Amino acid sequence: MKNKITAILLSVCLFLTLLAGCGNSVETAPDSASEAPSAESVPVAETAEEDEAPAQDGTAKEESVEETLEVEETLELPLCEETQTLTYFNEISTNLMNVYNDLNEAEAVKYLEELTNVHIDFTNFTSDNYKDQYSLMVASGDMTDIIYAAAGSYPGGASAAVEDEVLINLDEYMEYAPHYAAMLEEFPDVRKAIYTDEGYLPAFYSIYDENARFSSGMVVRQDWLDELGMNVPVTYDDYHDVLSAFKSEYNCASPILMGYNGMIGGDWLIAGYGVVGMLFATPFDNYMPFYVDGTEVKFGPMEEGYKEYLTMLNQWYSEGLFSEKFLQDTNGNMMSADYINQIIGGDVGMAVVATSSVEGLANSAVDENFELTGVADAVKNEGDLVNFGAELSHIGAEMLSISTSCEDIELAMRWIDVGYTEVGAYISNYGVEGYSYEINSDGVPEFTDLVINNESLTVTEAISVYTPRFMSAITYVSASDCLYTEKTFEAMKAWGSNRSGEGTYPALAIMTADETDTFNTTWSDIAVVVTESTVKFITGDRDLAEYDDFVSTLESMGIEECISLKQDAYDRYLAK
């Protein structure tokens, strides 16, 4: 297993007197960050050493904040002398629902309760009904102590959730979360991103110990390239030549599997033109074609690069280099059966796939010679960089918030804070030593056969079952290395080889509630016009000579106001 476990455990000397635990202070000193904690021996002081070269982080910039840090950490366990209970409103995967009647049956959850003496009373919902149930709970006024993804799911946003007295402002209670507080002090970019413009800290976030790797990227049929004596494509012209050869030699229905409405998640293919595109006509930030040029916010469809991209797709479509299936929403879901079947059935020569599919699809392919290779994003000229698709950050997902209904905020803060210690991070990433993982002869954690060779679950499913991510915690990027082969690592390296992410609009440059209301009033109609016009320009149902008229229409609909609102949010983000 590819090892790179450098826990980001930060000095908390300034906070030691603020920990008012009621259990016994544990004071052992493991030799390195690779030693696993156990119920009997919880690490509290260590010097972390990093001797290996940085792992591939899937970005053109190979910098990451993995500096060796001298750590002095005090964690008093258990957190209370007698068992206390906290309630927790949780979104849970279908895998976990199928395995556990109650998440407290999970060994990792039981182990954490043994360490902390805090019992968690879970209320679990799957993603298809979580937000509705969350809204109903908030409306009732009877909320659980801890809520998963509460700030981002609240209408009006995170600040509104605090101002409406649904969530507490964690910043007022940080004395009870010294490990999380110290991490935010150590990494001001993380702190800046997760505090709201009003100065609220509404949630605990998972934080990566190194830049997260790409979860998907472009691949090409390497076996076809070999048979044709062609190289992996680099420029748009190379892409065209390869796709044309695939069409003529293999008569594939869609040489490149074009994304829904001509856009591919992660802005693959379009980004080389210096702009971003819109995946769906939705109000969600992740799909909006706003980006940053220097410090100026721009809107992709208003720029020349967007027109150039549509001109290219119009030509490719007329030449049959992708099929009209791009009009179907299944082409927007790389995990859908239809999407995958097009690839493994020989209908497709290039596509964006999930990381696990780089080699995994070969097992189901019709052609026994089927082989995929990761490809860098297309550019105009060899050596160009793509400024989108990878926001360089250690910030993971929004995890846990504390509701105003919580009667023991101190305990809730201290329980969540455990995830930012080594003992908590090991539970979150690996589960329980001797059960879901062991420490090998090199002192490195490795998943056991229960995870790697489970008779009923895939490795991915087993990891989700035996390391249920119910905690806010440090996330060890390398913990998932067991999922990947060398071929997959090579693909991730290729995907990050020319992507800098400098132009990506920060996900946490958030508009105020009033700005959001104003924005949405205008945006919903603009989104529909952009989506419909984009498709028509690609298929030829609308002449590209009318592109200036399209831009004028967006202006008349108020796109400049939308850009201005996003600019204001971005400026506040920079000023934090």
Side-chain angles (χ1 to χ4, degrees):
M1 176 171 155
K2 193 177 177 71
N3 175 39
K4 188 146 195 358
I5 310 286
T6 305
I8 307 182
L9 298 173
L10 307 171
S11 176
V12 294
C13 295
L14 295 177
F15 302 99
L16 299 186
T17 60
L18 300 175
L19 279 174
C22 49
N24 298 321
S25 179
V26 185
E27 306 224 355
T28 59
D31 295 330
S32 74
S34 293
E35 290 188 11
S38 65
E40 293 75 26
S41 178
V42 179
V44 297
E46 74 177 61
T47 299
E49 298 180 0
E50 182 55 66
D51 297 324
E52 299 181 23
Q56 297 299 334
D57 62 9
T59 63
K61 289 185 176 181
E62 296 197 0
E63 61 185 45
S64 67
V65 194
E66 299 173 11
E67 300 97 356
T68 298
L69 298 171
E70 288 191 359
V71 178
E72 193 170 323
E73 178 189 20
T74 294
L75 175 63
E76 295 188 348
L77 293 174
L79 299 178
C80 10
E81 292 180 357
E82 296 184 2
T83 301
Q84 302 293 321
T85 296
L86 292 171
T87 55
Y88 182 151
F89 192 88
N90 189 32
E91 180 180 349
I92 192 171
S93 70
T94 303
N95 284 338
L96 290 180
M97 278 285 202
N98 291 337
V99 173
Y100 302 119
N101 293 319
D102 181 345
L103 199 54
N104 280 291
E105 297 172 0
E107 293 298 323
V109 178
K110 289 191 286 187
Y111 179 56
L112 184 62
E113 179 172 339
E114 176 188 345
L115 288 174
T116 63
N117 216 11
V118 176
H119 175 76
I120 301 300
D121 182 5
F122 290 98
T123 300
N124 298 315
F125 295 96
T126 56
S127 58
D128 59 346
N129 62 2
Y130 171 79
K131 286 191 176 181
D132 289 340
Q133 293 297 323
Y134 168 56
S135 297
L136 290 172
M137 179 181 68
V138 171
S140 74
D142 184 14
M143 296 176 287
T144 58
D145 299 319
I146 297 169
I147 308 175
Y148 172 81
S153 300
Y154 188 75
S159 290
V162 175
E163 292 170 355
D164 292 346
E165 298 185 349
V166 172
L167 304 179
I168 69 166
N169 177 15
L170 301 176
D171 186 66
E172 298 176 2
Y173 302 91
M174 290 302 281
E175 63 187 280
Y176 305 124
H179 303 94
Y180 191 57
M183 181 172 288
L184 299 187
E185 289 298 320
E186 182 71 19
F187 302 117
D189 58 325
V190 174
R191 181 186 178 89
K192 177 176 73 173
I194 65 177
Y195 271 79
T196 69
D197 295 336
E198 294 80 6
Y200 303 136
L201 179 60
F204 289 84
Y205 282 74
S206 64
I207 299 180
Y208 296 110
D209 67 329
E210 57 180 285
N211 286 328
R213 301 186 178 112
F214 280 103
S215 60
S216 62
M218 187 71 73
V219 293
V220 63
R221 284 287 297 268
Q222 182 64 52
D223 52 316
W224 287 0
L225 289 179
D226 292 342
E227 290 172 3
L228 296 172
M230 303 184 77
N231 295 322
V232 170
V234 176
T235 65
Y236 286 110
D237 288 341
D238 295 340
Y239 270 57
H240 179 268
D241 292 345
V242 165
L243 296 175
S244 297
F246 286 173
K247 181 71 175 179
S248 61
E249 296 299 321
Y250 298 102
N251 195 33
C252 49
S254 189
I256 187 168
L257 207 169
M258 183 54 58
Y260 181 47
N261 289 342
M263 300 297 156
I264 301 174
D267 293 305
W268 288 94
L269 200 62
I270 190 175
Y273 282 105
V275 296
V276 297
M278 182 167 62
L279 192 56
F280 301 111
T282 73
F284 299 113
D285 282 348
N286 289 344
Y287 304 138
M288 293 179 184
F290 294 92
Y291 65 97
V292 179
D293 183 2
T295 58
E296 181 182 0
V297 175
K298 293 184 176 181
F299 183 68
M302 298 285 287
E303 303 299 323
E304 184 64 24
Y306 197 88
K307 180 181 178 181
E308 291 179 42
Y309 175 69
L310 297 187
T311 301
M312 179 188 75
L313 290 195
N314 173 266
Q315 176 191 346
W316 287 11
Y317 183 72
S318 68
E319 295 175 4
L321 300 187
F322 60 92
S323 77
E324 57 186 31
K325 273 198 168 188
F326 84 96
L327 299 173
Q328 301 175 11
D329 59 6
T330 52
N331 270 29
N333 180 4
M334 70 183 68
M335 301 307 293
S336 72
D338 183 65
Y339 190 98
I340 292 173
N341 286 338
Q342 291 180 71
I343 299 172
I344 63 178
D347 292 332
V348 170
M350 295 188 73
V352 168
V353 302
T355 305
S356 59
S357 295
V358 173
E359 287 204 282
L361 292 182
N363 298 326
S364 306
V366 173
D367 188 342
E368 62 180 13
N369 296 316
F370 182 98
E371 181 183 358
L372 298 177
T373 291
V375 184
D377 206 359
V379 290
K380 291 183 179 180
N381 304 295
E382 188 169 356
D384 287 352
L385 282 181
V386 175
N387 289 328
F388 312 110
E391 186 181 352
L392 301 180
S393 177
H394 290 253
I395 304 170
E398 174 199 337
M399 291 296 292
L400 304 183
S401 296
I402 298 175
S403 80
T404 53
S405 296
C406 182
E407 296 181 355
D408 195 342
I409 293 174
E410 177 183 343
L411 180 62
M413 292 286 291
R414 293 174 62 217
W415 182 81
I416 297 173
D417 191 52
V418 171
Y420 302 94
T421 67
E422 187 180 81
V423 61
Y426 265 79
I427 294 171
S428 179
N429 288 271
Y430 295 104
V432 179
E433 184 177 1
Y435 181 68
S436 55
Y437 80 94
E438 298 281 8
I439 301 298
N440 66 19
S441 58
D442 296 322
V444 176
E446 285 187 343
F447 286 113
T448 63
D449 283 344
L450 179 70
V451 175
I452 301 299
N453 295 307
N454 193 288
E455 294 182 359
S456 304
L457 303 170
T458 67
V459 176
T460 301
E461 291 170 340
I463 288 176
S464 72
V465 166
Y466 297 111
T467 64
R469 299 299 172 90
F470 62 95
M471 302 170 66
S472 287
I474 300 168
T475 298
Y476 298 146
V477 172
S478 58
S480 61
D481 283 358
C482 61
L483 298 173
Y484 311 131
T485 63
E486 192 59 37
K487 183 80 170 178
T488 305
F489 281 113
E490 290 173 1
M492 290 190 285
K493 181 177 180 179
W495 296 340
S497 64
N498 66 351
R499 292 192 141 205
S500 72
E502 291 179 353
T504 301
Y505 188 91
L508 292 170
I510 300 171
M511 294 181 288
T512 65
D514 288 342
E515 287 172 338
T516 299
D517 289 341
T518 302
F519 181 92
N520 288 341
T521 299
T522 305
W523 171 253
S524 57
D525 291 334
I526 290 175
V528 172
V529 170
V530 170
T531 302
E532 292 179 349
S533 298
T534 293
V535 170
K536 290 178 180 179
F537 284 131
I538 293 172
T539 61
D541 290 340
R542 185 172 184 182
D543 198 308
L544 281 157
E546 300 177 15
Y547 198 85
D548 289 344
D549 294 336
F550 161 66
V551 171
S552 296
T553 298
L554 297 182
E555 291 173 337
S556 69
M557 296 178 73
I559 188 59
E560 295 294 348
E561 182 178 23
C562 290
I563 296 173
S564 178
L565 291 169
K566 297 292 281 188
Q567 181 73 58
D568 289 345
Y570 181 67
D571 290 343
R572 291 194 301 271
Y573 174 83
L574 292 181
K576 282 198 257 184

